Amino acid sequence: MEIVPCPDRQRAVALTARLIEARLRAKPNLVLGLATGRTMEEVYAHLVASGVSFAHCTTFNLDEYVGLPPDDPNSYISYMRHHLFDHVDIDPARANLPDGMAPDLTAAGAAYEARIAEAGGIDLQLLGIGESGHIGFNEPLSALRSRTRDKILTPTTRGQNAGMFGGDSSAVPKRALTMGVGTILDSRELVLLASGASKAKVVARAVEGPLTARISASAIQMHTCCKVVVDADAAAELEDIEYYRFVSKNEEKWDGYRDLL
């Protein structure tokens, strides 16, 4: 795992987008795992502006709310269409999200796992981190070997997502269908992006604290190819931040990104 500190949100977002763009240009048929959230909107805007092709790319989103139809403006498929899919040359048949409207959510989770396997597995998975420490919607006490399944959302998560529902946390669905922690860890590369002071405590717990199911994001410590991109605010509680800065400024692989570090 690498911690990659950036001076501000704009450069953290730009670095994340450039990493994804580089992988797409190097491997046009990339299998790309996608995430949602306010910060990801900026990542997708960068990717759209870059002009990189998604024509041969296959995507798998981390999660979808249970009970929201695809045409609901708050569904994650609507989010993805609005912020990315409608603006790039992706084949809609290659853009995959969990089916939160499925009558049998257990079967839907198994089918999603099968689709990922049929695609050859995920090459690069983009991640955010929730204030409860979740990746995807893997709320506290999610098994670290869990697979795609439905999960009840914490009040913290529903409150964090209330902005997309007119500020009313009670309007946020109570459940979501999400990739499991084990599913995420199977990806060949992880890039987690965190920005803002509200994420500082949970970022520190995830990357410098103990490995624990209480903080599902702590599982990324076990991944051999994981980058955690943070702005100054999100990095504020990291104890070894000076070392992380030293590494990123001295590793040759970051030479093409010096303007963002």
Side-chain angles (χ1 to χ4, degrees):
M1 182 177 66
E2 298 176 77
I3 314 299
V4 188
C6 296
D8 52 49
R9 176 189 179 102
Q10 291 74 23
R11 279 177 276 193
V13 166
L15 175 60
T16 301
R18 278 169 57 176
L19 286 171
I20 297 170
E21 179 188 351
R23 302 298 185 270
L24 278 166
R25 293 194 187 281
K27 184 179 181 181
N29 63 340
L30 192 77
V31 180
L32 177 61
L34 298 174
T36 55
R38 294 182 185 89
T39 310
M40 301 306 167
E41 296 174 16
E42 300 173 47
V43 173
Y44 298 144
H46 275 270
L47 289 171
V48 171
S50 75
V52 67
S53 177
F54 284 76
H56 303 289
C57 178
T58 300
T59 65
F60 288 92
N61 265 71
L62 284 167
D63 40 41
E64 178 61 281
Y65 288 117
V66 169
L68 289 189
D71 60 353
D72 188 296
N74 290 314
S75 71
Y76 283 149
I77 182 57
S78 292
Y79 171 102
M80 292 306 306
R81 288 170 178 160
H82 179 71
H83 293 290
L84 183 65
F85 296 158
D86 287 350
H87 309 286
V88 295
D89 58 349
I90 193 167
D91 178 353
R94 292 178 177 268
N96 299 279
L97 283 89
D99 183 4
M101 292 296 291
D104 185 336
L105 294 174
T106 299
Y112 203 61
E113 291 281 334
R115 272 191 280 164
I116 293 171
E118 288 167 7
I122 295 172
D123 292 309
L124 170 63
Q125 177 65 59
L126 176 63
L127 298 169
I129 183 170
E131 291 177 16
S132 66
H134 63 249
I135 46 176
F137 273 131
N138 291 285
E139 299 284 32
L141 301 186
S142 291
L144 301 185
R145 296 177 64 183
S146 56
R147 313 305 297 187
T148 303
R149 80 271 186 235
D150 67 303
K151 192 73 178 172
I152 193 166
L153 305 182
T154 65
T156 297
T157 296
R158 294 177 75 207
Q160 185 181 346
N161 292 356
M164 299 178 183
F165 292 81
D168 180 7
S169 61
S170 68
V172 180
K174 294 180 180 179
R175 304 188 76 88
L177 196 59
T178 181
M179 282 187 200
V181 180
T183 313
I184 292 167
L185 292 180
D186 281 349
S187 303
R188 285 178 274 278
E189 182 177 8
L190 304 178
V191 177
L192 188 151
L193 171 63
S195 68
S198 66
K199 299 295 179 69
K201 182 176 180 178
V202 75
V203 165
R205 292 180 69 187
V207 304
E208 293 184 335
L211 180 67
T212 171
R214 291 186 65 191
I215 304 290
S216 68
S218 68
I220 65 175
Q221 296 177 29
M222 297 189 294
H223 203 281
T224 58
C225 187
C226 174
K227 298 170 183 63
V228 180
V229 182
V230 289
D231 67 6
D233 288 336
E237 296 197 27
L238 292 172
E239 293 183 6
D240 291 324
I241 186 62
E242 292 306 320
Y243 173 66
Y244 308 143
R245 290 191 179 112
F246 176 83
V247 170
S248 62
K249 290 179 180 178
N250 286 276
E251 286 276 16
E252 289 184 4
K253 65 183 173 183
W254 295 113
D255 285 350
Y257 301 89
R258 295 294 171 205
D259 57 317
L260 303 175
L261 299 174

